[in-house]
Amino acid sequence: MRITVTVDGAQYTDEVEPRTLLVHYLRETLGKVGTVVGCDTSNCGACTVHLDGHSVKSCSVLAVQADGCEVTTIEGLAREGELHPVQKAFHDNHALQCGYCTPGMIMQSIDLLADNPDPDEKTVREGLEGNLCRCTGYQNIVRAVQDAAKHMSPGAGPEAERMSDTEVRRAPSAVAGGGE
Amino acid sequence: MTATEEHVSPMGYGRMHRKEDARFVRGHGNYVDDITLPGMLHGAVLRSPFAHARILSIDTSAAEAHPKVRAVITGQTLESLDLAWMPTLSHDVQAVLATDKVRFQGQEVAFVVAEDRYSARDALELIDVDYEALPPVVDARRALDEDAPVIRDDVEGRTDNHIFDWEAGDRARTDEVFARAEVVVEQDMLYPRVHPAPMETCGAIADMDAITGKLTVYTTTQAPHAHRTIYALVAGLPEHKIRVVSPDIGGGFGNKVGIYPGYVCAVVGSIVTGKPVKWMEDRSENLMSTSFARDYHMHGEIASTKDGRILGVRVNVLADHGAFNGTAQPTKFPAGFFSVFTGSYDIEAAHCAVTGVYTNKAPGGVAYACSFRITEAVYLIERLVDLLALDLGLDPAELRMRNLLRPEQFPYVSKTGWEYDSGDYPRALSKALELAGYDELRAEQARRREAGDPTSMGIGVSFFTEAVGAGPRKHMDILGLGMADGAELRVHPTGKAVLRLSCQSQGQGHETTFAQIVAEELGISPDDIDVVHGDTDQTPFGLGTYGSRSTPVSGAATAVVARRVRERARLVASAMLEVSPDDLEWEKGRWFVKGDREAGKSIQDIAMAAHSSLELPEGVEGHLDASCVYNPPNLTYPFGAYICVVDVDPGTGQVKVRDFVAVDDCGVRINPMIVEGQVHGGLADGIGMALMQVMAFDPDGNHLGGSFMDYLVPTSMECPSWRLGETVTPSPHHPIGAKGVGESATVGSPAAVVNAVLDALKPFGVRHADMPLTPAAVWRAIQGNPLRPDLAVT
């Protein structure tokens, strides 16, 4: 099947098998290997990306379901070399070690901050429940998300693009594997 | 040797943020599955549905006819290459692809190489294997029964499932101590089979270049040099024609030490097809077939006086090793370092006996931050001490405090022969008790029990001594390779440096911390020091990263090599300044003339001069580099005091960890931020093992827990906010006084959590229940009907 997908701001048109998972399309067809695979039962969230502004586990979405959609991966966050505030906060708070869960964790964190720009610790932990990490024990990730929240204000920096858009875009996710 | 925190500052640049993060937060890491080579093919493994079955035939014709399949490899193919079996790290052999029969569910039976990932898996379904089911050995306690099926009939004349007997300590003296003891407490306990489950599974890309005869293997290995040597020995390839590259690794936790059949199949696939072959396992394959951890059935006894002076410890262990003995540990230690089970206590005698058996399960045993079985050792002693406290009616913290080794006893030779390097145990325990507010917690617990609070509060204490940094070559080798590690440091003409190491980070931050060690020694900014590891063509030989050995061994090598460069720099500086080397004094980053601070040369000036036409003294070759092989004189013995507080709902069995205090002492902290991150991660492991994780088997040997649907790892919701403390008792034999720490929290925390839950269950008359203390397990224990967590039948 022919699909047209906008990924990290660039438009791609490709022939894909209907069974191709979005994560494999991103990694193997587009070479966007920043998004990784950690399980085969949609538990770990390492493959989390944004599909039309919502976080989804891209191992649980078919590439054909993304036809006509906009996908943002970890590789599309930094603008002109400047890190997204969540990326920066992960670095500042030592919220990563092996780095394998980090792309999905950051994408999910941005999604939860879009829902709640000033979450308390419990809200952050609940928001990240679908993302497993084996290295950090989560505490520094929770800190990073709360730290990022402080540095994200609508209208300032690259995060504004997402924060302002979400009001319009956020509707119930249309595809399976929604990041809730 | 004891120092206080006030006297010891972290190594150069302290809580420096990590250099690795820049690529990882952008999705620019380079993990094995991210690598694509021209013409690369994809491999997939067909696995056994049976735990134990004879293979009558394998029909691969339909798979071979698949238009995208390039090769189908079976055990028969490998037999013709003499590769059907491979040596393990325990001097046993393991089937690469099964030839005669399968011995565990998930075992490798055939390997398909196809043009893409999806087609390779399609083709697996086209392979027809005819099995004849055999009765499996599932319960390790039945493995040595007369009528137990013999699993390893590949070995001529083998008539049972016995692997080894091993003992340590003084049996006669221990028996004598027990005979005269006023109090003896004993307990059976199981440390159930769990799995390290790194977020990234295992995988490899093998690239055999037929023209040059060079094999390159990009792979998830914690020990790239050891892998290279083993490939050379197994495949008969010359070692200089093998290059193993361990790129970024998405967590290891001991899972990625050994060589798995999938790696060997990828190599054979590349040889057969003449193309690079990638094999990347799924999560379920990772859980079912790669190295498990633990599975120790322990019978522990502790002897004491009536007033709580511990006299001796006696242990019998039945170790379930699965179908092949693939346990990773130094050759002379078939039960790893389990014999440090006397822990942190001053006792008179101790003895342990360990028997290893085969069962129809995947191989492994040593993994998951166990420091070679110290997880098991610490869990055993810390449960026994708690049971003793229960029987004596003593507070468990008080009982520990009375029996801890005193600072003046170090270096201390334990009753099983370990020489603990340094420790100030009472100080660490006091600090933890204070940080937790222990007395108030006990008061709250008494108050709530008095008031009939339906939620039962529990407080658990664990005090552990680790033994990490394997190890001295005279005792410790893996497959004959002594456990010394190399380091090479080269300072470029402009004063920037590259450090090459044999250890292999899997997230522990080596690229940052090892640069910090050099920075401390030479005064070069860590940002100006690149740390290279993982490529056997580029780095010195060594045994890799596991057993928290990087800081003890490679960290020492790094300090030594930096000091050698500093000495070379002194000779160059003396030529530059036209003074005797003896007249020079070092301050960080600079040699200067004694008594004249202005007359000096920075390490950067010296580096340029060392590469210039400057005339150097006789015998000084110029340039600024050095190498070193560090053979550690002893292990390092970090320690810690952990306190866990839980609330248990006896109606549902739900356990809520409400507080966790961890005081760790790993000597000098190179980077406290990274140490804390290591501890956080290990504490989460402890929650996982104590409350959630188990790989159980049904009577047919079916693996239950073979995916993340039922093998549960902690999420952000199960983990509390950790509260950490530290003391600093440097290792006297280590060049920078640092001890390993990576595994301490995984080793020390499960006992704290279990002790806390059982403290909460004390009013219900529960003495012991085995991990994981799931709601079902807790509820059943309260009903007086505990679960056998390792078996689906109870």
Side-chain angles (χ1 to χ4, degrees), chain B residues 119 140 185 236 249 268 335 346 446 450-451 592 629-630 651 726 749 758 784-785:
Chain B
S119 300
V185 173
I249 302 295
V268 174
D346 190 7
E450 184 72 19
F592 68 94
V629 176
Y630 192 79
E726 68 175 289
S749 60
L758 289 163
N785 185 18

Side-chain angles (χ1 to χ4, degrees), chain A residues 19 21 24 27-28 34 38 40 43 74 83 87 91-92 94 97-100 121 125 134-139, chain B residues 17-18 21 25 27 31 33-34 117-118 122 196-197 283-284 368 506-507 677-678 680-681 714 716 719 721-722:
Chain A
R19 65 173 175 171
L21 300 176
H24 287 139
R27 290 179 55 82
E28 296 184 359
D40 47 17
N43 295 84
I74 188 72
L83 292 179
Q87 290 174 303
H91 172 63
D92 290 346
H94 186 35
Q97 291 180 27
C98 81
Y100 203 77
E121 183 192 327
R125 287 184 180 275
R134 301 290 291 137
C135 294
T136 66
Y138 300 103
Q139 182 154 329
Chain B
H17 289 156
R18 295 200 326 163
D21 292 357
V25 299
Y31 304 96
D33 200 21
D34 300 348
R117 192 187 294 270
Y118 285 58
D122 285 345
R283 172 58 53 195
S284 50
Y368 206 177
Q506 315 119 46
Q678 293 287 294
H680 288 172
S716 48
C719 294
S721 277
W722 319 107

Side-chain angles (χ1 to χ4, degrees), chain B residues 245-470:
Chain B
V245 181
S246 193
D248 289 325
I249 302 295
F253 314 109
N255 190 224
K256 296 168 178 172
V257 174
I259 291 185
Y260 294 117
Y263 304 167
V264 178
C265 288
V267 171
V268 174
S270 183
I271 292 171
V272 168
T273 62
K275 299 282 185 188
V277 172
K278 177 188 279 185
W279 169 72
M280 206 66 219
E281 68 189 3
D282 294 337
R283 172 58 53 195
S284 50
E285 299 181 279
N286 175 256
L287 291 170
M288 288 179 76
S289 69
T290 65
S291 185
F292 75 91
R294 324 291 186 254
D295 217 344
Y296 260 31
H297 298 250
M298 303 184 280
H299 179 78
E301 296 171 273
I302 189 164
S304 91
T305 61
K306 272 189 291 206
D307 59 354
R309 192 163 66 78
I310 302 172
L311 301 172
V313 185
R314 197 160 56 183
V315 194
N316 281 287
V317 178
L318 180 67
D320 183 342
H321 280 231
F324 309 100
N325 189 19
T327 309
Q329 79 270 296
T331 303
K332 292 175 191 159
F333 299 84
F337 301 164
F338 181 76
S339 61
V340 299
F341 67 88
T342 60
S344 316
Y345 308 106
D346 190 7
I347 62 173
E348 290 182 25
H351 181 263
C352 72
V354 181
T355 296
V357 296
Y358 291 118
T359 60
N360 286 110
K361 300 172 192 171
V366 166
Y368 206 177
C370 76
S371 309
F372 303 117
R373 300 289 189 187
I374 298 180
T375 30
E376 290 89 329
V378 165
Y379 180 73
L380 175 98
I381 185 71
E382 289 306 295
R383 280 297 299 133
L384 286 178
V385 170
D386 252 43
L387 288 161
L388 179 63
L390 181 72
D391 285 3
L392 293 174
L394 281 172
D395 180 89
E398 172 59 25
L399 179 62
R400 283 177 174 80
M401 194 62 98
R402 283 188 205 175
N403 287 283
L404 287 175
L405 291 163
R406 316 303 295 183
E408 60 275 14
Q409 289 176 272
F410 294 89
Y412 167 82
V413 179
S414 83
K415 294 299 182 280
T416 49
W418 300 88
E419 186 181 319
Y420 297 6
D421 55 352
S422 63
D424 188 343
Y425 296 174
R427 187 161 66 110
L429 181 54
S430 302
K431 189 156 189 171
L433 294 173
E434 189 186 321
L435 200 52
Y438 188 78
D439 293 341
E440 297 85 68
L441 286 170
R442 286 289 177 205
E444 179 195 338
Q445 184 182 47
R447 217 166 37 240
R448 284 171 58 178
R449 282 191 185 161
E450 184 72 19
D453 187 334
T455 303
S456 189
M457 175 182 172
I459 306 157
V461 182
S462 160
F463 195 101
F464 66 91
T465 300
E466 261 270 46
V468 298

Side-chain angles (χ1 to χ4, degrees), chain B residues 572-595:
Chain B
V572 176
S574 76
M576 293 169 80
L577 294 161
E578 297 180 339
V579 295
S580 157
D582 296 339
D583 291 337
L584 293 176
E585 200 169 316
W586 175 259
E587 65 179 345
K588 199 185 270 188
R590 190 166 173 274
W591 284 107
F592 68 94
V593 179
K594 284 178 190 165

Side-chain angles (χ1 to χ4, degrees), chain B residues 654-669:
Chain B
Q654 189 84 37
V655 176
K656 165 97 183 135
V657 178
R658 84 170 207 213
D659 196 11
F660 202 110
V661 166
V663 173
D664 275 279
D665 188 325
C666 56
V668 171
R669 292 189 170 206

Side-chain angles (χ1 to χ4, degrees), chain B residues 9 26 46 83 96 113 117 123 131 193 195 216-217 279 293 306 344 439 441 453 485 489 528 537 547 550 552 573 749:
Chain B
S9 60
R26 289 174 169 86
L46 180 74
L83 286 173
V96 176
V113 182
R117 192 187 294 270
Y131 294 100
R193 178 175 283 232
H195 193 281
T216 303
V217 185
W279 169 72
K306 272 189 291 206
S344 316
D439 293 341
L441 286 170
D453 187 334
D485 278 59
L489 178 62
D528 291 337
D537 271 4
S550 295
S749 60

Side-chain angles (χ1 to χ4, degrees), chain A:
Chain A
M1 273 182 76
R2 178 179 294 267
I3 60 168
T4 298
V5 188
T6 302
V7 181
D8 297 334
Q11 192 174 304
Y12 301 87
T13 299
D14 284 293
E15 281 293 329
V16 297
E17 283 189 60
R19 65 173 175 171
T20 304
L21 300 176
L22 177 59
V23 68
H24 287 139
Y25 173 69
L26 293 171
R27 290 179 55 82
E28 296 184 359
T29 307
L30 304 187
K32 295 253 175 199
V33 293
T35 303
V36 298
V37 177
C39 73
D40 47 17
T41 48
S42 72
N43 295 84
C44 82
C47 63
T48 303
V49 300
H50 292 170
L51 184 62
D52 283 347
H54 293 277
S55 70
V56 296
K57 293 180 176 179
S58 62
C59 75
S60 306
V61 178
L62 297 169
V64 293
Q65 289 176 289
D67 186 27
C69 295
E70 195 169 318
V71 174
T72 306
T73 78
I74 188 72
E75 296 176 56
L77 288 182
R79 293 291 150 85
E80 284 149 19
E82 196 191 333
L83 292 179
H84 186 282
V86 176
Q87 290 174 303
K88 185 170 184 311
F90 268 58
H91 172 63
D92 290 346
N93 292 276
H94 186 35
L96 63 147
Q97 291 180 27
C98 81
Y100 203 77
C101 77
T102 308
M105 201 63 89
I106 288 175
M107 299 312 289
Q108 179 61 20
S109 299
I110 292 171
D111 188 74
L112 86 86
L113 288 170
D115 280 342
N116 184 342
D118 185 24
D120 60 15
E121 183 192 327
K122 184 165 176 288
T123 310
V124 175
R125 287 184 180 275
E126 281 170 356
L128 296 177
E129 197 189 4
N131 291 70
L132 301 177
C133 171
R134 301 290 291 137
C135 294
T136 66
Y138 300 103
Q139 182 154 329
N140 287 347
I141 294 176
V142 175
R143 278 187 195 146
V145 175
Q146 292 189 290
D147 183 35
K150 279 186 273 171
H151 293 96
M152 287 170 72
S153 51
E159 73 280 11
E161 177 257 349
R162 268 203 40 78
M163 297 299 285
S164 55
D165 283 1
T166 49
E167 293 303 318
V168 192
R169 284 224 195 110
R170 287 188 80 79
S173 184
V175 291
E180 302 305 324

